[in-house]
Amino acid sequence: MKIVVIIPTYNERETISNLIDALEEEFKNIPNHEMGILIVDGNSPDGTAEAVNQKKGIYKNIDLIVEKEKRGLGMAYITGINYAVKDLKAGAFIEFDGDFQHDPKDIKRLIAELDNGYDYVIGSRYVLGGSIPQEWAWHRKLLSRFGSLFIKWVLRLPTNDNTSGLKLSRAEGFFEKLPLDENRILSRRHAYKIHLLYEMYRNDAKIKEIQIKFLERGGGASKSSLEDIFESLRVAFALRFRK
Ligand SMILES: Nc1nc2c(ncn2[C@@H]2O[C@H](COP(=O)(O)OP(=O)(O)O)[C@@H](O)[C@H]2O)c(=O)[nH]1
Ligand SMILES: [Mg+2]
């Protein structure tokens, strides 16, 4: 199957080249699938796209979309998912961060569960063996843990990590059912994740959570903010109480 790793970037020049090298190395351990990388860059002023273009000269399985401007994480993924499935003919796609917080070695573990028949594989920080960065301040750890629990409770979800950014989705049978345009997605930013998770669940995807260690950033700075926490609550309630 063709599987595309989608990576949104905004000012990730410090990490993106090493990340691409690490992913390409890992792909060698996945001989039964055709692997590709799709970077969706929000027109980063730091030259992230140039760094990606250099790697495009070395590896033949990299695509790059440069958006007109930074439009939010959700919009970057929507652009990437549509391109991966419609243009690159991906049978599955993986959401993956561009800052090394996700471990390239987890890719083959996600794919192993796809091969086992699962439709939606979540890299989970909140199942046995999973973790968040030790360096995080206590209030950040608490917010992340209770945020996931709260979303689980509001939406009656079976899953434990409901804001994880690392996941694999099977396209066939699900792509057409997902709200993958700016008029239907309930958040253009980080909270888009909750909406897609909920739709996969509602559409009876076979879901599997596998433990991951969420790492500290490899460099650069986070783009998420307090606003994203409020948006997550808004999206959860909007889904719960929609007609
Ligand atoms: N294209 C694009 N990428 C983004 C945007 N916001 C965040 N990203 C990228 O998405 C990934 C996850 O974002 P990050 O800020 O690390 O979120 P955090 O891990 O929740 O703090 C990183 O690779 C970011 O560079 C955006 O608005 N547009
Ligand atoms: Mg990050």
Side-chain angles (χ1 to χ4, degrees):
M1 187 188 290
K2 172 118 190 206
I3 303 177
V4 175
V5 179
I6 306 173
I7 308 176
T9 55
Y10 190 74
N11 288 346
E12 305 293 2
R13 193 195 173 95
E14 268 185 60
T15 53
I16 196 65
S17 302
N18 288 338
L19 180 61
I20 289 172
D21 288 338
L23 285 168
E24 295 287 354
E25 203 49 42
E26 273 305 304
F27 290 170
K28 294 177 184 160
N29 301 323
I30 312 171
N32 54 330
H33 294 288
E34 186 192 338
M35 301 301 300
I37 296 175
L38 171 60
I39 312 270
V40 186
D41 184 57
N43 207 358
S44 303
D46 76 341
T48 302
E50 284 90 274
V52 174
N53 270 321
Q54 271 187 357
K55 293 295 175 188
K56 274 183 73 170
I58 302 170
Y59 307 107
K60 295 300 157 220
N61 60 346
I62 301 179
D63 284 86
L64 168 65
I65 297 173
V66 181
E67 302 173 281
K68 272 211 196 76
E69 60 196 350
K70 181 180 190 294
R71 295 193 301 160
L73 185 62
M75 291 312 298
Y77 267 119
I78 284 179
T79 301
I81 293 169
N82 277 300
Y83 190 83
V85 176
K86 289 187 198 157
D87 295 80
L88 301 176
K89 311 291 178 209
F93 54 88
I94 294 174
E95 293 164 61
F96 198 96
D97 285 355
D99 56 6
F100 259 110
Q101 287 198 270
H102 296 146
D103 187 345
K105 294 201 181 332
D106 287 333
I107 299 266
K108 63 173 177 295
R109 298 176 53 236
L110 294 168
I111 292 174
E113 299 299 344
L114 175 79
D115 291 340
N116 283 339
Y118 287 99
D119 304 310
Y120 196 47
V121 190
I122 300 173
S124 178
R125 302 162 296 178
Y126 301 126
V127 293
L128 193 67
S131 62
I132 49 180
Q134 274 204 325
E135 298 89 335
W136 278 10
W138 65 269
H139 57 272
R140 192 163 171 206
K141 290 180 177 162
L142 213 68
L143 198 66
S144 174
R145 185 72 195 92
F146 281 95
S148 254
L149 272 175
F150 188 75
I151 293 160
K152 180 183 175 77
W153 175 72
V154 171
L155 294 175
R156 313 281 197 258
L157 290 166
T159 42
N160 296 301
D161 192 342
N162 300 310
T163 54
S164 171
L166 177 61
K167 41 189 58 143
L168 178 153
S169 308
R170 187 186 300 279
E172 196 193 346
F174 299 98
F175 173 73
E176 319 76 44
K177 295 176 182 158
L178 294 174
L180 292 170
D181 64 70
E182 60 182 319
N183 298 318
R184 284 187 296 155
I185 196 81
L186 290 172
S187 166
R188 298 175 178 216
R189 306 171 47 133
H190 281 59
Y192 85 94
K193 291 177 195 302
I194 300 166
H195 194 177
L196 293 193
L197 164 66
Y198 189 65
E199 296 298 343
M200 288 299 278
Y201 171 61
R202 258 180 19 106
N203 284 294
D204 299 320
K206 279 182 73 185
I207 302 178
K208 172 85 177 181
E209 279 186 281
I210 62 166
Q211 55 91 3
I212 59 159
K213 295 193 175 3
F214 192 51
L215 309 169
E216 236 338 346
R217 270 185 159 266
S222 172
K223 283 97 215 170
S224 66
S225 66
L226 197 64
E227 207 179 324
D228 290 299
I229 294 164
F230 290 116
E231 271 222 0
S232 299
L233 300 181
R234 176 178 65 73
V235 169
F237 281 114
L239 289 168
R240 170 72 187 272
F241 296 110
R242 75 179 170 185
K243 294 273 163 1

